[in-house]
Amino acid sequence: MTTFEYELPNPQTEDVKTVFGQQDLIRRSASTIEPPARQLTPMAKLIDVSKCIGCKACQAACLEWNDKRAPVGENVGTYTIPPDLSPQMFTLMRFTEWINPETDNLEWLIRKDGCMHCADPGCLKACPAPGAIVQYSNGIVDFDHERCIGCGYCVAGCPFNIPRISKTDHRAYKCTLCSDRMAIGQGPACAKSCPTHAIVFGTKAEMTEHAETRIKDLKSRGYQNAGLYDPPGVGGTHVMYVLQHADKPEIYADLPNNPVISPVVNLWKGAAKYAGLAAMAGMVAFGVLHRFVEGPNRVTPKDEEEAKQLTEDPRS
Amino acid sequence: MSERYEIDPSDEVHVGERVTVDRYTKAARLNHWLTAACLVLLAISGLAMFHPDLFFLSALFGGGQNTRAIHPWIGVVLFFSFGGLFLRFWRLNLWRPEDGTWMRRLYDVLINKEDNLPELGKYNAGQKIVFWGMSLLILILIVTGLAIWNQYFSEYTTVEQKRYALILHSAAAVTIICVWIVHVYAAIWVKGTFSAMIQGYVTGGWAWKHHRKWLKALVSGKHVDDGKAAPAPAPAGKPGQAAAE
Ligand code: HEM
Ligand code: SF4
């Protein structure tokens, strides 16, 4: 039988052992957990914006793999379709027409938006439901829809405005970094579908190294500010970008310049919780203490007598 | 000082073996208990989302999804129900000169030493602070609550506004729970108070001891049922029990 160069191997038929699972959690929303026994190699997806041709194969692959069907939308005069992320659309190509003030050239910036898989995830910090958001030691931040209560706190917690709450099942959705594919040793569907290899996937160390070569190449072509987007404010991310203009990420459809978990969210989920519980417990403690020290305030028979005299007086 | 700032038209003294004073109509009591039930349910369902250690409380509402879904609706009922109480009670809760004196002698209040306190109208300064505090907090809670009610109103606020709304909502919730603890403890501490909200009346002695100006205003304003005109004088035995407790 002739085999061709491009022929793919047949799919595996024997049982595939999962590579990681619940034992590898490093964070679990609204829970304290034991640190895992082992540390998985941190993985990352690298999105090279300079290589993207905007074909949206990744968007289609994402819908396909996750078995989502977004309703047919409306053309609102942009290539960014649908116009926003949604409970069905975990990833979205955002198109920006940018005129470079230095060269006066029109640059078509196409950024693949979606969950960044922060090392310090704001969604997980904000989530009130135990186990609805989990983080694995390989860097994946994943939602467990069974446990989600649909409050939307993750939306407030996220510095990238990623999670979307379904209006039908009231649960939060976002990119899973194809955790289900990764669990059996495969890469994300989007990376697999990308015809230009603008999306690549591997260990975070490899991806950072690979990015270096890309940045060098871009710099040699005149993109002085080309660089890697791996923002330290959220502890770094497990989805990274190579940007032609890394000094101004905001031109890429408002990619945040220095994303951090909002101080308001930190206060709300940190000091405010302790202060709140302490205040309520303090109030109860005061009541109990007062009860024992001062005791009840009772009306005396004399008071009743006074009242009687008062009420009888005006009649007499 | 106009009489309507001292007493409610429905307040009435009943003269008899034991004097009793009508303090709350049946409608006011129902209104109060509906509000109270809402507040307690809101506190429980809200606390389930407030802290992981309290998440188990969501089981009382049939799980997290139900808790999340029902909490804001109870909030809406609370808002209107409290609105009813507000309309009933606001006038008699206006601040008076004697309230400042009372506050300055709060220590005497706490150690049950009342001889040195001014005579008070229907409410003392503590009750007024609870009233106005709850009013303000419920206003904050409904506004911030709507802002974070994502099921229906997620489009109307930005993410940044939601963050402020969330922290304000939880701060206001904690504060109103603290105010509520004070409110309930005061009713337990000052014997004879519960009957006002359960049977609707207090004993003359209770009114004399705690709200003498109110009692005097009722008597001098002829809000007195001496058994001659009014159809149903209060039963003699019951109020005595309330006072003895
Ligand atoms: C007045 C109308 C109110 C509305 C419309 C409202 C609405 C909300 C909403 C939408 C949430 C987010 C979770 C969810 O979607 O269910 C929430 C959370 C919460 N609510 Fe309310 N609420 C109201 C009143 C109250 C009151 C009176 C209390 C306290 C007695 C309270 C305590 C809380 C707490 C503790 C949380 C959790 C906050 C956190 O996670 O930090 N709420 N409320
Ligand atoms: S919507 Fe779900 S995942 Fe998001 S914070 Fe609430 S419970 Fe957690």
Side-chain angles (χ1 to χ4, degrees), chain B residues 180-228:
Chain B
W180 177 80
I181 294 170
V182 170
H183 176 67
V184 173
Y185 179 67
I188 298 171
W189 165 31
V190 180
K191 293 293 160 195
T193 306
F194 266 106
S195 70
M197 262 312 161
I198 298 169
Q199 292 101 330
Y201 56 79
V202 290
T203 69
W206 187 94
W208 172 265
K209 186 168 163 66
H210 302 301
H211 300 280
R212 198 167 300 165
K213 202 168 142 199
W214 174 57
L215 182 64
K216 285 181 175 170
L218 285 173
V219 171
S220 64
K222 302 272 181 285
H223 288 262
V224 180
D225 160 31
D226 51 15
K228 290 173 193 150

Side-chain angles (χ1 to χ4, degrees), chain B residues 6 95-109 113-128 206-216:
Chain B
E6 292 300 347
W95 200 257
R96 295 288 170 154
E98 63 266 27
D99 292 323
T101 315
W102 191 90
M103 281 304 286
R104 280 190 292 280
R105 300 182 189 159
L106 191 62
Y107 183 72
D108 288 346
V109 176
K113 191 165 147 277
E114 272 160 296
D115 328 335
N116 202 18
L117 296 174
E119 292 189 2
L120 301 171
K122 190 168 179 177
Y123 298 107
N124 64 39
Q127 291 165 309
K128 289 179 182 178
W206 187 94
W208 172 265
K209 186 168 163 66
H210 302 301
H211 300 280
R212 198 167 300 165
K213 202 168 142 199
W214 174 57
L215 182 64
K216 285 181 175 170

Side-chain angles (χ1 to χ4, degrees), chain B residues 123-136:
Chain B
Y123 298 107
N124 64 39
Q127 291 165 309
K128 289 179 182 178
I129 291 172
V130 166
F131 176 83
W132 292 110
M134 293 244 179
S135 306
L136 177 70

Side-chain angles (χ1 to χ4, degrees), chain A residues 8 29 31 56 99 113 115 140 143 226:
Chain A
L8 291 169
S29 58
S31 328
K56 303 187 190 181
I99 296 172
D113 195 12
C115 177
I140 293 184
F143 283 9

Side-chain angles (χ1 to χ4, degrees), chain B residues 17 109 175 203 245:
Chain B
E17 186 47 37
V109 176
T175 315
T203 69
E245 212 292 295

Side-chain angles (χ1 to χ4, degrees), chain A residues 1-130:
Chain A
M1 193 177 129
T2 6
T3 53
F4 297 94
E5 222 183 18
Y6 53 80
E7 195 172 279
L8 291 169
N10 278 324
Q12 233 165 316
T13 47
E14 66 270 25
D15 278 354
V16 190
K17 257 199 129 82
T18 51
V19 186
F20 70 97
Q22 293 297 308
Q23 72 279 10
D24 295 304
L25 295 185
I26 52 170
R27 283 198 183 98
R28 189 174 184 273
S29 58
S31 328
T32 35
I33 53 166
E34 291 292 311
R38 59 172 183 175
Q39 162 70 50
L40 300 169
T41 315
M43 304 302 283
K45 178 158 78 182
L46 182 71
I47 302 166
D48 185 344
V49 176
S50 70
K51 273 175 138 187
C52 174
I53 55 169
C55 71
K56 303 187 190 181
C58 53
Q59 239 179 271
C62 181
L63 286 171
E64 196 61 33
W65 175 259
N66 291 299
D67 198 19
K68 299 290 177 195
R69 295 291 177 275
V72 175
E74 258 171 57
N75 187 334
V76 291
T78 159
Y79 277 96
T80 309
I81 298 170
D84 195 16
L85 295 167
S86 75
Q88 289 86 28
M89 202 73 253
F90 302 168
T91 191
L92 176 65
M93 309 314 293
R94 294 196 184 269
F95 293 72
T96 309
E97 289 163 27
W98 184 68
I99 296 172
N100 188 331
E102 277 156 37
T103 61
D104 212 25
N105 276 347
L106 178 86
E107 294 186 25
W108 208 14
L109 309 174
I110 309 164
R111 176 170 69 87
K112 179 181 181 292
D113 195 12
C115 177
M116 301 294 285
H117 296 269
C118 306
D120 186 9
C123 59
L124 192 150
K125 177 159 212 169
C127 178

Side-chain angles (χ1 to χ4, degrees), chain A residues 126 128 149-153 268-269 272-273 280, chain B residues 38-51 64-80 137-151 153 165-167 169-177 180:
Chain A
I149 67 170
C151 61
Y153 291 6
W268 165 46
K269 284 286 154 173
K273 300 274 130 150
M280 291 184 285
Chain B
C38 288
L39 192 76
V40 170
L41 291 173
L42 281 160
I44 298 171
S45 56
L47 286 174
M49 293 175 282
F50 177 74
H51 197 278
Q65 278 276 343
N66 288 334
T67 307
R68 185 267 309 150
I70 200 155
H71 173 99
W73 283 111
I74 306 174
V76 171
V77 177
L78 173 89
F79 179 74
F80 287 106
L137 289 164
I138 286 172
L139 210 57
I140 297 175
L141 285 162
I142 188 89
V143 172
T144 56
L146 292 175
I148 58 174
W149 196 351
N150 290 307
Q151 187 168 352
F153 306 115
L166 276 163
I167 196 167
H169 193 83
S170 43
V174 165
T175 315
I176 205 168
I177 291 170
W180 177 80

